[in-house]
Amino acid sequence: MIQKEVTGLILRATNVREADRIVTIYTAEEGIVSALAPQARSYKSRKMSSTQQFCYGKFILERRGEYYRILDADLIESFFGMRDSLEGLALSSYFCEVLEDVATAEPGRDLLRLALNSLYATAEKRAPRWKIKAAFEIRLAAIIGFLPDILSCSECGTRNGDFLFHIMDGFLQCAACRQKQIDERREEPDEGRAHIVCPLSSGAKDALIYCIYCPVEKLYAFRLAPEDAALFARAAETYLLHHLERSFTTLEFYKSVEREQP
Ligand SMILES: [Zn+2]
């Protein structure tokens, strides 16, 4: 039997049989892993508290044919504070659902750090939820290979003023270049896919750039005017969902309970 120790975050936990649990863990070492936690729900089990959704811990796994069994588990962090509010819990569920969707069997330290950072900030209320959400969305998109080119207008190179963010191609067009395009009646390049644009102010653009390139532990250390915040949040969500080509039930639920919008 091969045993290994991994460090990871429980994205999903499903109760099976009388006392067992099947969990999906996002690990630093192996990417996404499914494992059976036998007797996880029995009264005496040490594993009980560490194999619930959102738990981050160390797990000793043993390979049994197609799947792993959890032999032992040690809780590192449970992000307990997120359970104070339905909104916080809903947002955390969204982070886990996105991670499960994009995760592969490759080591994913950057994604794991981003997820832990986002859950911690949500639990400890380190920033408004809309900010934690948008920062997660744009940073995650960049990590998994959808890095947008939004430092400046793709045509004239300006970094100031109002922009259109061309979502699928991931580039910026300033208002002046946009007007020129309309005046010259140039068509959008048609590559057989939906043409989606989000308006971006200079401030909203700078916030997106910050979230992509800053050290992950400083992810929320930026200021935004209220009118920029709404553009920033909309662009981040639109960008991620269109590149993943899907929405998430947890996101719909979060939106149905969240009243604090940027
Ligand atoms: Zn331009």
Side-chain angles (χ1 to χ4, degrees):
M1 297 291 177
I2 303 165
Q3 286 185 12
K4 61 174 90 182
E5 184 183 293
V6 295
T7 308
L9 173 69
I10 307 264
L11 301 180
R12 193 149 52 97
T14 311
N15 293 338
V16 289
R17 298 197 287 253
E18 244 167 59
D20 300 347
R21 192 176 274 151
I22 289 180
V23 297
T24 304
I25 318 173
Y26 191 66
T27 70
E29 299 83 358
E30 308 271 326
I32 201 150
V33 162
S34 282
L36 178 72
Q39 296 297 308
R41 286 149 61 215
S42 77
Y43 171 65
K44 280 185 252 171
S45 173
R46 282 196 337 114
K47 290 190 277 287
M48 184 163 67
S49 61
S50 357
T51 56
Q52 299 180 51
Q53 191 185 23
F54 310 123
C55 284
Y56 174 60
K58 279 193 189 304
F59 304 91
I60 308 284
L61 304 179
E62 182 187 75
R63 181 132 213 154
R64 290 272 179 101
E66 289 293 292
Y67 62 94
Y68 287 101
R69 280 171 81 91
I70 298 179
L71 299 183
D72 202 2
D74 264 319
L75 183 68
I76 297 172
E77 174 66 62
S78 70
F79 305 105
F80 197 77
M82 76 173 59
R83 293 162 181 84
D84 289 352
S85 77
L86 187 57
E87 295 90 334
L89 198 56
L91 184 59
S92 304
S93 303
Y94 170 54
F95 294 152
C96 287
E97 195 183 3
V98 172
L99 210 62
E100 193 173 348
D101 185 71
V102 304
T104 63
E106 298 288 314
R109 287 173 202 281
D110 289 347
L111 276 184
L112 185 59
R113 277 191 72 198
L114 174 64
L116 295 174
N117 208 65
S118 304
L119 293 174
Y120 181 77
T122 306
E124 300 298 318
K125 301 170 189 65
R126 288 297 168 99
R129 282 183 295 269
W130 61 262
K131 199 177 192 184
I132 301 171
K133 171 178 173 288
F136 171 85
E137 290 167 330
I138 195 70
R139 180 78 172 218
L140 181 130
I143 292 173
I144 63 173
F146 301 118
L147 177 67
D149 179 11
I150 54 174
L151 293 176
S152 61
C153 172
S154 66
E155 291 170 47
C156 72
T158 186
R159 292 168 183 244
N160 299 306
D162 289 330
F163 298 90
L164 279 185
F165 182 11
H166 292 252
I167 295 293
M168 295 315 294
D169 294 313
F171 69 85
L172 285 188
Q173 185 182 39
C174 75
C177 289
R178 181 65 171 179
Q179 192 55 49
K180 216 165 112 193
Q181 182 188 9
I182 293 167
D183 294 344
E184 293 170 3
R185 296 199 171 85
R186 272 186 287 133
E187 301 285 320
E188 302 291 351
D190 181 11
E191 289 170 13
R193 53 184 171 184
H195 189 248
I196 300 133
V197 291
C198 283
L200 276 188
S201 58
S202 225
K205 165 189 70 83
D206 290 345
L208 289 176
I209 294 169
Y210 179 83
C211 290
I212 291 170
Y213 295 104
C214 73
V216 74
E217 64 276 9
K218 295 198 173 143
L219 201 48
Y220 318 111
F222 63 97
R223 283 177 179 278
L224 264 179
E227 64 274 19
D228 293 336
L231 297 175
F232 160 73
R234 179 139 57 98
E237 182 186 298
T238 306
Y239 188 74
L240 179 65
L241 296 188
H242 278 89
H243 281 278
L244 296 182
E245 298 179 319
R246 60 165 295 184
S247 187
F248 295 90
T249 51
T250 47
L251 175 60
E252 300 308 320
F253 180 66
Y254 167 69
K255 286 180 172 180
S256 74
V257 296
E258 181 61 276
R259 281 180 193 84
E260 277 177 28
Q261 299 290 343

